[in-house]
Amino acid sequence: MSHREWFDRGDDGGSGGSGRPTAPPFRVRRPGPLGPTLAILVALVVLVLLASQLWTEVLWFDSIGFERVFTTELTTKILLFVGGGLVTAGLVASSLVIAYRQRPVYAPVSPEQQNLDHYREMLDPVRKLGTIGIPVVLGLFAGSAAASMWQTWLLWANRVPFGKKDAQFGLDIGFFVFTLPWLRFLIGFLTMALVLATAAAALTHYVYGGLRLQGRGERTTTAARIHLSLLLAALVLVRAASYWLDRYSLTTQDSRLITGITYTDAHAVMPTKAILAVAALMCAALFVATIWTKSWRLPLVGVSLLVVCAVVVGGIYPALVQSLKVNPSQKSLEAPYIQRNIKATRDAFGLTSAQVQPYQAETTVSQGQLRNDADTIPGIRLVDPAMVSPTFKQLQAVKSYYQFPDALDVDRYTVNGKLNDTVIAVRELDLAGVPDSQRGWVNDHTVYTHGFGVVAAYGNKRGDDGQPVFFEQNIPPSGALGSFEPRVYFGESSPDYSIVGGPANGPKRELDYPDSSANGQQNTTYSGKGGVAIGSFLRQAAYAIKYRELKIMLSDTVNSQSRILDDRTPRERVQKVAPWLTLDGNPYPAVIDGRIQWIVDGYTTSSNYPYSRLQSIDNATSDSLTSRSTSVTALEQGQVNYIRNSVKATVDAYDGSVHLYAWDNQDPLLKAWSKAFPGTIEPMSAISGSLMAHLRYPEDLFKVQRLMLARYHVTDAGSFYGGQDFWRVPSDPTQEQKVVDQPPYYLSVAMPGQSSPAFSLTTTFMPQGDRQVLAGFMAVDSDAGSTTGQRRAGYGAMRLLELPRDTTVRGPGQVQNDIESSNIGSPRFTQTLSQFLSLNRQGGSHVDLGNLLTLPVGGGLLYVEPIYVSGTAGSSYPLSRVVVVAFGDKLAWSDTLTGALDGLFGGNAGAVAGDSGSGGTTTPPSAGSTGPGSTGSSTALAKALADAQRAYAAGQDALKKGDFAAYGQAQKDLQDAIARAVAAQPKGGSVTVTPSPSPSASASPSPSATANPSGTATGAG
């Protein structure tokens, strides 16, 4: 009887009188034509979608000259997908075919097999389809997993030596960074593929009788035994390789104390991993021996012993070594491994060149103390770039459809022959500001296409009214930056896509900028080479499919000269052409050679550097700035233990062109990626002098480094183990509702030993624990170079001032607490600082605390904080009203930095600081004076100003309620208070009570009681 005839006997194994089976045969219903037709249509739609996406990507990369990146990435993914899919599908398919072909001719007669008869009948009609379909589906998943490892493959295929050997194995570090990750993937992939193949073979053998789980006698046929034993031997062999590689993976194993090999790892774990690898090899041999012994007993015993060995030798023994030997003497036993960790971490994070200098900070103030810092004081940045975005918008946005980022950028520009720290921002397009009646596809994508110009202000100056002092402003642009292309087609807030361009003699459709002409605006037609030309029907169709927008094909605004601009943000464009880079979260603009260029810092990172501490980079780069800003972001999630600022990238704001410049030529990762994508990275020598002058030390790298230095400034293993000298990054004390790290600040400072100030990125440290005093101050030289085009030798130099452990220098939190509770007056004001803050936090005004800056001057550490006041109406904006300074346990404040320093250092600061931060002068108070005029006049003046504040607030409330009678009474009370204030003014002085200046009639005036530099007090009114 054939195998097929055996199946046709039916469930009872017999037949009726006619010899036919008692049960009707199993029939498969043939599908109708509707199903295949729908399947074909769906397949065609998917293919069209994929083809349009692929073609538009090819066009995009070709438009910026990086088609090599696209083809390399795509080719690598395809090869890995095909290779991974074929390996997995081949193993699974071979298991299915071999198991079926080697099935027994006569299935064993047993209740178990009789129960499987029904399943065999069901499977038989679809067996061929399953033999093909199951491997294909599994191969697709496996191929996708393999394709996702394309970067790991490219790094391994283009690996270069680091030139340094690890301390344990004596292997080049490149083995751990490039080779080990690829080997780990191969082991994991083969394990998955062999598990699937073994499962497919076992299931097929079981269904067709080659494998039995019940009954007496042989459990497997000879063919099944050979097949399964070889698959299981291969699986255990792969496991042996995994055990062996586990020894190398210990170099990046994270623990509470360090990352890397510990004493227990070196003396217990590593030997047991080697033992387990040998045991696994022996177990694999036992599986192969089953072919001849015809018994599963030995391999099953071997597997059991391997499991026991893994638990006892691999788990219990190291735990005993740790608890009985290491823990009682951990400090001495772990010392060499801690030292490895310290050395590797400082090397991998670029900390080896940090210059640590003891700093005995002065805490007392005296006249003449700032004389040696005459160059630093005038350059103190008083404009907080995270605070003045609303001010820039109100004063310089011009129209509601323009915007500035919520955190501006700091740069350096030469104005009138002098290099100035600058707060700069691009005036970008904001479609949300376009009236709803003007929104539509045509306006959104063909009319409102670009921003216009930049706005730049002195970082260390403010106007008499508290506004920034602009040296580049307005539309069309005017100022010290000269002539440049102002149109911003590629920026941080550009629309997802715009269609621009047209015939030179055709109509100009794009809004260029508003003006005072009859039309109220000037229009333009894009003439750059950016974007992709979509003059042909097929290209328009491809983009219509990509963006699901038929109007791209139908609109008369799309013509033969049209170009589509998409993927427009600087980070997005750089990430596409260099997908192997981790990008800084804060691209910044610069006007270079007549063009606005976005500068993006790119990092090469790894989590496989042996013995270096693993660090979560998203946590390390999160601070108060990233928590409140959408334009500045933390780095993407992930752990790294190696980072280099290897690439400086630029994106042209007009044509979107991208340039990648090699910045760290010694970085092995950059060398490997340069081999993988030849011709995409330009040498440092290609950086122009005008670009070099605007490059700076990147913020995110510095954030990661400062977090590592909080521990790894300790270089002695014994001290590191004790952890008594560990530091922490202070919380930002100006964020009253949040507990987040204080961001680093760009400042021009002269560190001890420097002859002149240098543009630097700075941060402070506090001791770990509850102490709120200062433990250290660090600055990194951030000025990359000058217009000569040569990189400065001092760039990147880290200088760390280490304060004594018993220091009493107040930390940022303590200084901020002093500011909030200070009862210190100012010669320029009639109230104490706490009264000033309380008064301006009431009614129709709001106080914003600017960045609390720290500078090493006067032999100690000087704190400087600008304070902004704004109204509470929607169109109000913050204006700088006072500056607070602190040194040691002393604090002073005034409307200018000069005045505040005069109050702090006894009136000598004016000669040092000059007029830092204002356009006027400050008259020093007479000795012993606490305010202008006598005590009686001061009291009367203060009461009059307070009454004016209340009257103003009452008038605003009346306006909101529409109660004009109450508003009229409030105005009378306000005028009366003003008259009393004038009468109470000091002899020779004058008092004017006015609201804060506002460019908008609807702006809410700020009722701050301050003083302008001419001696005129400014209060509510």
Side-chain angles (χ1 to χ4, degrees):
M1 180 184 296
S2 68
H3 185 70
R4 178 66 182 172
E5 291 172 335
W6 183 83
F7 274 144
D8 289 341
R9 290 174 56 193
D11 291 340
D12 59 359
S15 62
S18 61
R20 296 182 181 276
T22 56
F26 182 80
R27 296 181 179 178
V28 179
R29 184 179 179 183
R30 293 184 178 180
L34 181 60
T37 302
L38 291 176
I40 293 173
L41 289 176
V42 170
L44 287 175
V45 170
V46 171
L47 286 175
V48 169
L49 291 175
L50 291 176
S52 64
Q53 183 68 35
L54 180 63
W55 191 28
T56 54
E57 285 294 289
V58 171
L59 293 174
W60 188 92
F61 278 93
D62 182 65
S63 70
I64 58 174
F66 281 85
E67 61 275 4
R68 180 70 175 269
V69 173
F70 179 76
T71 56
T72 301
E73 179 180 345
L74 182 62
T75 302
T76 305
K77 286 181 176 180
I78 291 174
L79 291 176
L80 290 173
F81 178 85
V82 173
L86 286 178
V87 168
T88 302
L91 286 172
V92 173
S94 63
S95 290
L96 293 173
V97 172
I98 292 173
Y100 178 76
R101 289 184 176 179
Q102 297 300 321
R103 68 191 185 282
V105 177
Y106 300 102
V109 179
S110 67
E112 180 185 18
Q113 294 301 318
Q114 289 177 354
N115 292 332
L116 291 172
D117 285 346
H118 179 64
Y119 296 103
R120 283 191 280 259
E121 290 186 27
M122 292 178 58
L123 290 174
D124 198 59
V126 295
R127 180 185 56 79
K128 291 183 179 180
L129 180 62
T131 303
I132 297 174
I134 293 175
V136 167
V137 172
L138 294 177
L140 290 175
F141 284 108
S144 298
S148 67
M149 301 300 292
W150 67 275
Q151 292 192 19
T152 304
W153 157 259
L154 282 178
L155 274 180
W156 177 74
N158 297 279
R159 60 195 180 278
V160 297
F162 267 68
K164 300 177 182 179
K165 296 186 180 298
D166 86 291
Q168 183 69 37
F169 302 99
L171 297 173
D172 187 88
I173 289 175
F175 168 79
F176 300 91
V177 175
F178 299 123
T179 303
L180 186 59
W182 177 246
L183 294 179
R184 297 295 314 186
F185 164 72
L186 287 180
I187 293 299
F189 185 84
L190 288 175
T191 299
M192 177 269 299
L194 287 170
V195 166
L196 292 175
T198 303
L203 183 61
T204 306
H205 281 302
Y206 176 68
V207 170
Y208 288 101
L211 172 65
R212 291 188 300 155
L213 302 179
Q214 300 174 6
R216 297 181 179 180
E218 291 291 334
R219 299 289 185 182
T220 57
T221 62
T222 301
R225 184 173 63 253
I226 295 173
H227 188 195
L228 292 175
S229 63
L230 290 176
L231 286 173
L232 291 171
L235 188 57
V236 177
L237 192 64
V238 171
R239 185 60 190 157
S242 179
Y243 280 131
W244 190 257
L245 290 181
D246 284 345
R247 299 164 61 253
Y248 303 113
S249 297
L250 291 172
T251 58
T252 54
Q253 177 179 269
D254 208 16
S255 66
R256 179 192 60 82
L257 185 61
I258 60 173
T259 295
I261 295 174
T262 62
Y263 180 91
T264 300
D265 293 332
H267 293 82
V269 177
M270 286 179 56
T272 59
K273 292 291 184 182
I275 292 172
L276 289 171
V278 174
L281 287 174
M282 296 173 62
C283 191
L286 291 177
F287 274 107
V288 175
T290 303
I291 298 174
W292 297 278
T293 63
K294 301 180 181 180
S295 172
W296 292 101
R297 181 173 301 172
L298 288 178
L300 289 178
V301 171
V303 170
S304 301
L305 291 176
L306 182 62
V307 172
V308 172
C309 186
V311 173
V312 176
V313 180
I316 297 178
Y317 172 64
L320 290 174
V321 171
Q322 180 69 33
S323 61
L324 299 179
K325 183 173 183 179
V326 176
N327 289 347
S329 307
Q330 190 172 33
K331 182 176 181 180
S332 59
L333 293 179
E334 297 289 15
Y337 305 99
I338 294 175
Q339 204 66 52
R340 284 182 189 175
N341 173 249
I342 294 173
K343 184 179 183 301
T345 301
R346 290 174 63 86
D347 180 67
F349 286 94
L351 308 177
T352 54
S353 61
Q355 305 170 18
V356 182
Q357 176 182 349
Y359 190 62
Q360 297 288 340
E362 297 281 346
T363 57
T364 57
V365 297
S366 61
Q367 287 192 351
Q369 196 162 357
L370 300 184
R371 190 171 294 115
N372 294 331
D373 301 288
D375 290 337
T376 294
I377 296 299
I380 295 177
R381 180 173 51 76
L382 298 177
V383 179
D384 184 353
M387 195 65 61
V388 296
S389 177
T391 307
F392 270 52
K393 182 175 178 61
Q394 286 292 332
L395 301 179
Q396 285 295 317
V398 180
K399 292 292 184 179
S400 61
Y401 48 78
Y402 288 129
Q403 66 173 333
F404 295 99
D406 46 16
L408 310 186
D409 292 294
V410 178
D411 202 346
R412 298 90 66 215
Y413 285 88
T414 300
V415 181
N416 296 327
K418 181 180 179 181
L419 190 64
N420 294 272
D421 286 3
T422 301
V423 176
I424 188 170
V426 172
R427 186 186 290 107
E428 291 205 57
L429 186 64
D430 179 17
L431 287 178
V434 178
D436 290 340
S437 60
Q438 297 178 5
R439 296 297 299 272
W441 185 86
V442 172
N443 276 352
D444 284 0
H445 296 287
T446 66
V447 176
Y448 294 95
T449 59
H450 60 278
F452 204 90
V454 300
V455 177
Y458 294 100
N460 64 333
K461 294 183 181 181
R462 59 161 227 189
D464 294 344
D465 50 10
Q467 298 176 355
V469 179
F470 299 109
F471 65 81
E472 184 70 30
Q473 58 188 324
N474 300 335
I475 297 179
S478 62
L481 298 185
S483 176
F484 62 93
E485 173 55 67
R487 295 166 183 84
V488 182
Y489 284 90
F490 297 87
E492 294 182 294
S493 300
S494 298
D496 53 354
Y497 72 92
S498 292
I499 298 176
V500 298
N505 57 353
K508 297 182 177 181
R509 303 178 185 274
E510 302 172 46
L511 169 64
D512 202 21
Y513 60 88
D515 65 4
S516 58
S517 65
N519 294 329
Q521 66 184 49
Q522 291 291 325
N523 288 352
T524 189
T525 297
Y526 182 71
S527 58
K529 300 300 183 182
V532 176
I534 55 169
S536 68
F537 172 80
L538 288 179
R539 292 191 176 193
Q540 293 172 15
Y543 278 96
I545 293 172
K546 177 179 180 179
Y547 289 109
R548 312 292 192 269
E549 183 53 73
L550 194 60
K551 295 184 182 70
I552 294 177
M553 300 176 63
L554 302 178
S555 176
D556 61 355
T557 58
V558 182
N559 54 70
S560 60
Q561 302 297 316
S562 290
R563 309 182 73 86
I564 187 167
L565 313 178
D566 58 354
D567 297 324
R568 303 169 71 177
T569 67
R571 294 183 80 246
E572 190 176 23
R573 294 181 77 79
V574 175
Q575 193 70 82
K576 288 190 70 170
V577 302
W580 42 274
L581 283 176
T582 299
L583 300 182
D584 193 272
N586 186 22
Y588 58 99
V591 178
I592 300 168
D593 296 329
R595 302 292 281 263
I596 301 173
Q597 299 279 352
W598 294 97
I599 301 174
V600 186
D601 285 288
Y603 309 115
T604 47
T605 62
S606 175
S607 59
N608 300 295
Y609 196 97
Y611 317 112
S612 175
R613 186 75 190 193
L614 284 166
Q615 177 60 51
S616 176
I617 56 175
D618 54 322
N619 291 334
T621 54
S622 298
D623 55 29
S624 63
L625 189 58
T626 61
S627 67
R628 57 179 165 159
S629 170
T630 57
S631 59
V632 181
T633 61
L635 293 183
E636 60 191 23
Q637 292 185 354
Q639 285 193 317
V640 304
N641 62 3
Y642 175 90
I643 186 170
R644 290 289 186 272
N645 178 208
S646 54
V647 171
K648 299 285 188 180
T650 63
V651 178
D652 191 287
Y654 184 69
D655 62 21
S657 57
V658 180
H659 291 273
L660 306 176
Y661 300 101
W663 188 246
D664 188 346
N665 294 322
Q666 303 305 311
D667 177 29
L669 284 172
L670 179 62
K671 293 178 181 179
W673 287 120
S674 298
K675 289 175 62 180
F677 299 102
T680 60
I681 304 171
E682 302 174 51
M684 188 188 301
S685 59
I687 299 177
S688 66
S690 52
L691 172 58
M692 183 70 78
H694 292 281
L695 298 180
R696 67 188 191 188
Y697 201 84
E699 289 180 84
D700 282 339
L701 174 62
F702 186 71
K703 291 177 186 179
V704 174
Q705 289 175 323
R706 71 170 179 174
L707 189 62
M708 303 311 298
L709 267 177
R711 283 184 170 225
Y712 288 91
H713 69 278
V714 179
T715 57
D716 174 69
S719 301
F720 189 94
Y721 178 83
Q724 299 301 313
D725 292 334
F726 288 170
W727 297 340
R728 60 186 174 92
V729 177
S731 298
D732 190 345
T734 66
Q735 299 302 297
E736 300 168 285
Q737 306 300 323
K738 299 177 181 178
V739 180
V740 286
D741 287 348
Q742 189 178 39
Y745 298 120
Y746 286 106
L747 295 169
S748 289
V749 298
M751 296 288 281
Q754 285 185 292
S755 58
S756 60
F759 184 69
S760 306
L761 194 52
T762 64
T763 189
T764 56
F765 295 100
M766 294 170 59
Q768 197 172 61
D770 297 331
R771 293 188 69 204
Q772 297 296 312
V773 297
L774 214 60
F777 175 88
M778 184 171 72
V780 59
D781 194 330
S782 302
D783 190 359
S786 63
T787 53
T788 61
Q790 297 297 317
R791 178 170 168 172
R792 282 202 330 115
Y795 170 83
M798 289 185 180
R799 296 176 174 85
L800 177 60
L801 304 182
E802 194 172 40
L803 276 66
R805 294 182 182 87
D806 58 351
T807 180
T808 58
V809 177
R810 295 171 183 255
Q814 290 179 325
V815 172
Q816 191 63 49
N817 182 69
D818 290 345
I819 292 174
E820 294 288 344
S821 59
S822 173
N823 59 1
I824 297 175
S826 171
R828 307 283 288 162
F829 295 83
T830 60
Q831 68 265 78
T832 66
L833 180 56
S834 61
Q835 289 172 339
F836 171 86
L837 295 174
S838 298
L839 177 65
N840 284 285
R841 283 170 173 158
Q842 300 172 5
S845 59
H846 178 74
V847 170
D848 292 299
L849 304 174
N851 41 210
L852 182 59
L853 308 177
T854 310
L855 301 94
V857 297
L861 288 160
L862 175 70
Y863 288 95
V864 180
E865 180 177 278
I867 295 180
Y868 295 81
V869 179
S870 61
T872 56
S875 57
S876 62
Y877 53 90
L879 295 170
S880 177
R881 288 309 190 193
V882 299
V883 178
V884 185
V885 295
F887 190 98
D889 58 353
K890 302 296 183 182
L891 182 146
W893 63 291
S894 185
D895 60 320
T896 65
L897 176 62
T898 299
L901 292 174
D902 280 342
L904 187 65
F905 291 98
N908 74 299
V912 177
D915 179 40
S916 179
S918 181
T921 59
T922 300
T923 304
S926 59
S929 175
T930 60
S934 64
T935 303
S937 63
S938 297
T939 302
L941 181 59
K943 185 177 185 305
L945 290 175
D947 290 342
Q949 161 72 21
R950 285 191 290 272
Y952 170 76
Q956 294 300 302
D957 291 339
L959 277 178
K960 293 178 181 178
K961 298 175 181 178
D963 189 347
F964 293 101
Y967 177 75
Q969 181 60 45
Q971 292 303 301
K972 292 180 181 179
D973 294 341
L974 179 60
Q975 292 180 5
D976 176 68
I978 292 173
R980 286 189 283 113
V982 172
Q985 66 179 326
K987 185 176 180 180
S990 62
V991 174
T992 305
V993 184
T994 60
S996 298
S998 171
S1000 170
S1002 62
S1004 177
S1006 171
S1008 56
T1010 65
N1012 66 31
S1014 64
T1016 303
T1018 304

